[in-house]
């Protein structure tokens, strides 16, 4: 399976010229760029090889919903992927699993590919991997409840495992633990949703230095990169490490 690198710029950069410059250096095959909403159009026009991703998508197509972005509008703008359920939205904006479930359905209906973000906080992980698995299983069960009607497939539903304690802390997960959780997620998706061969990405303090230690394994299908995706040299190196893995299989 080809490795996928997803760049989540979060609320960066401040200027459009910087966004375009960053888009140019990240514009490679098997890469998804998720700029802030305000730069989707200009970054979309810049990209030739990478796909465009949104950092969120609302659950309604249109209507009286101030400040939201409709999945249908996003699709028409040229967006291919949507991050749903990122931990910063779950924690800072109190986004619930029920809201995430509605967003996934609406995004799939609109023809977007969903990158569903899951992951446990440190107070869970410190109890060990079984506790982390149980936390992630509950998130997936709630987020994907009744989802079959939205016709998820291994091509349009990707899971990003992002342990919250690893995000932006410089403290990435241990790759062997990520492999175990990734296998657990893949088995769950296959057993409950008949999603065989769905991609599972890793996210959390990935850098050019640790990227290979994750993406070299067949169980880890790529990465969701935050901070390092804002530095030209870092993201270029991470993409090329992932591309080398693609060449090896
Ligand atoms: P960092 O790579 O900055 O830890 O962020 C990860 C993340 O949240 C990507 O969605």
């Amino acid at each position: 399976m080809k490795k996928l690198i997803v760049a989540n710029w979060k609320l960066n950069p401040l200027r459009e010229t910087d966004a375009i410059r960053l888009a140019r250096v990240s514009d490679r095959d098997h890469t998804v760029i998720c700029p802030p909403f305000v730069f989707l159009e200009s970054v979309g026009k810049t990209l030739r090889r990478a796909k465009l991703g949104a950092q969120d998508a609302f659950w309604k197509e249109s209507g009286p919903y101030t400040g939201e972005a409709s999945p249908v509008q996003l699709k028409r703008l040229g967006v291919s992927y949507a991050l749903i359920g990122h931990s910063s939205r779950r924690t800072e904006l109190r986004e619930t699993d029920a809201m995430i479930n509605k967003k996934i359905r609406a995004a799939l209906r609109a023809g977007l590919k969903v990158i569903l973000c899951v992951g446990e906080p440190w107070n869970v992980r410190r109890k060990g991997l079984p506790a982390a698995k149980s936390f992630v299983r509950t998130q997936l069960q709630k987020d994907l409840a009744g989802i079959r009607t939205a016709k998820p497939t291994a091509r349009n539903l990707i899971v990003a495992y992002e342990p919250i304690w690893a995000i932006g802390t410089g403290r990435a997960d241990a790759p062997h633990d990520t492999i175990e959780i990734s296998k657990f997620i893949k088995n769950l998706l296959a057993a409950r949703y008949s999603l065989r061969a769905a991609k599972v990405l890793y996210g959390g303090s990935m850098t050019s230095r640790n990227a290979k230690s994750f993406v070299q394994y067949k169980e880890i299908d790529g990465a969701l990169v935050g901070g390092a995706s804002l530095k030209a040299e870092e993201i270029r190196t991470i993409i090329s490490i992932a591309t080398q893995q693609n060449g090896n299989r």
Side-chain angles (χ1 to χ4, degrees):
M1 202 154 21
K2 299 280 190 202
K3 306 288 176 176
L4 184 70
I5 298 297
V6 182
N8 177 10
W9 293 355
K10 307 185 183 179
L11 196 49
N12 303 290
L14 281 178
R15 289 200 202 88
E16 188 176 43
T17 47
D18 292 332
I20 290 172
R21 198 170 310 134
L22 199 52
R24 287 206 180 106
V25 299
S26 324
D27 188 17
R28 297 286 179 271
D29 293 335
H30 311 297
T31 302
V32 180
I33 312 296
C34 303
F37 282 130
V38 291
F39 299 141
L40 276 172
E41 191 165 4
S42 47
V43 167
K45 283 182 183 149
T46 305
L47 299 178
R48 295 285 171 270
R49 298 163 72 178
K51 302 288 186 208
L52 190 60
Q55 295 176 18
D56 184 39
F58 193 50
W59 62 76
K60 290 280 191 183
E61 282 187 12
S62 62
Y65 306 103
T66 306
E68 297 297 342
S70 141
V72 175
Q73 293 167 337
L74 292 169
K75 179 76 183 169
R76 292 196 179 142
L77 202 58
V79 169
S80 305
Y81 290 81
L83 300 179
I84 306 280
H86 191 277
S87 73
S88 67
R89 300 195 63 86
R90 291 181 190 259
T91 53
E92 279 152 53
L93 299 171
R94 302 271 184 273
E95 203 163 287
T96 64
D97 291 301
M99 290 156 79
I100 289 164
N101 180 270
K102 289 198 280 185
K103 289 185 172 189
I104 295 170
R105 289 163 189 257
L108 291 177
R109 254 197 323 268
L112 295 172
K113 295 181 183 179
V114 168
I115 302 171
L116 168 61
C117 306
V118 296
E120 78 290 347
W122 179 245
N123 65 0
V124 170
R125 181 57 171 269
R126 61 196 271 274
K127 296 183 196 141
L129 272 189
K133 285 182 191 169
S134 163
F135 187 94
V136 167
R137 179 175 50 224
T138 304
Q139 280 185 322
L140 286 171
Q141 282 171 349
K142 290 183 177 172
D143 297 346
L144 298 176
I147 210 77
R148 278 178 201 228
T149 53
K151 300 200 175 30
T153 66
R155 279 178 57 80
N156 67 14
L157 185 71
I158 293 169
V159 173
Y161 171 61
E162 296 203 299
I164 295 173
W165 49 271
I167 297 176
T169 57
R171 188 168 144 231
D173 195 13
H176 54 267
D177 287 346
T178 302
I179 289 172
E180 199 169 324
I181 301 235
S182 176
K183 284 202 280 197
F184 173 77
I185 293 172
K186 283 171 188 273
N187 288 339
L188 194 79
L189 293 176
R192 294 202 173 229
Y193 308 99
S194 309
L195 290 177
R196 267 164 254 290
K199 275 187 159 71
V200 177
L201 314 178
Y202 168 74
S205 297
M206 179 164 282
T207 64
S208 60
R209 281 190 310 275
N210 64 19
K212 188 167 180 206
S213 70
F214 288 94
V215 300
Q216 68 182 322
Y217 295 107
K218 68 175 188 327
E219 292 85 356
I220 303 173
D221 302 300
L224 180 51
V225 187
S229 74
L230 299 169
K231 299 181 196 139
E233 203 45 51
E234 277 289 289
I235 190 64
R236 236 196 316 247
T237 309
I238 292 172
I239 293 170
S240 84
I241 288 168
T243 306
Q244 279 162 23
Q245 301 301 313
N246 290 340
N248 291 344
R249 54 204 64 230

